[in-house]
Amino acid sequence: MSPSVHPRTPDSTHVPLPGPAAPSTPSQADLLDFARRTAADSSLVASLPLDPQGRTWIRLDGPGGSEAWLIGWPPGTGTGWHDHGGSHGAFATAAGTLKEDSLAARLPTEGWKTLELAEDIDRSRSVEAGKGRAFGPHHVHEVRNESTTEHTISVHAYYPPLPLIRRYSRTGAVLRLEHVERPEDWQ
């Protein structure tokens, strides 16, 4: 695929955005504000090339040194269960609707491969265009576009920049750590 569809090199992926100066360490609220303002930038959102088969993305300059992404989600695509390696973050939907399933518990970050989850740990929400949500450093979730016909576009921001992403599989109440991705895996 061409770099314009799936940018992977630092010099082709950063899009500076104008805006007020952010504090040196952006909070969850700062990231959510950034994600919402960026999702409302119709010319930036329209510049994202959309692929009918896979997600597309452009890396953005987030506030205060945060990592940010504009992401296009074809119908039926999603992330699978994952965390953000200890970074806090936020996302906002620019077009369409994202469905988020999350766990309302702080999981240990090391020393386990399989966990049995307690009852009533699951949370689910829909994040429609113009809406967003922030989360803390121990957030585990999956995000997806459940539409069968329409793309969804969203903005995501993380601080500190993602040191890693842990990927999980889930069967009923059992969560399994499958693998760990590092920045070089998605840059």
Side-chain angles (χ1 to χ4, degrees):
M1 297 190 180
S2 72
S4 65
V5 175
H6 285 89
R8 293 188 183 268
T9 60
D11 46 338
S12 68
T13 60
H14 292 291
V15 176
L17 296 172
S24 60
T25 302
S27 67
Q28 291 175 39
D30 296 327
L31 296 177
L32 181 57
D33 178 63
F34 168 82
R36 285 180 172 151
R37 283 186 296 107
T38 305
D41 182 338
S42 59
S43 63
L44 177 64
V45 170
S47 75
L48 179 66
L50 300 177
D51 180 328
Q53 302 302 313
R55 287 190 296 158
T56 54
W57 55 86
I58 297 173
R59 188 165 181 171
L60 307 171
D61 288 329
S66 64
E67 179 174 353
W69 301 88
L70 176 66
I71 302 175
W73 307 74
T77 59
T79 61
W81 287 95
H82 67 281
D83 69 19
H84 303 98
S87 296
H88 61 269
F91 68 93
T93 304
T97 299
L98 284 177
K99 175 76 178 252
E100 179 194 35
D101 294 323
S102 62
L103 302 178
R106 183 175 176 166
L107 302 181
T109 56
E110 302 292 330
W112 66 275
K113 286 285 198 177
T114 304
L115 287 177
E116 187 163 345
L117 302 171
E119 290 184 34
D120 299 327
I121 195 170
D122 291 297
R123 301 295 179 266
S124 185
R125 69 180 47 88
S126 292
V127 183
E128 296 88 17
K131 303 291 184 187
R133 107 169 235 35
F135 51 84
H138 302 285
H139 192 62
V140 176
H141 70 167
E142 67 174 344
V143 179
R144 63 190 175 280
N145 175 8
E146 292 187 329
S147 172
T148 59
T149 59
E150 300 296 323
H151 266 78
T152 294
I153 299 174
S154 58
V155 176
H156 302 248
Y158 311 98
Y159 189 87
L162 297 171
L164 57 90
I165 295 176
R166 292 178 196 88
R167 299 276 177 189
Y168 305 99
S169 64
R170 182 161 179 200
T171 305
V174 177
L175 188 70
R176 287 182 181 81
L177 175 63
E178 295 294 337
H179 67 278
V180 177
E181 295 176 3
R182 306 236 177 249
E184 56 271 17
D185 298 325
W186 65 80
Q187 301 276 335

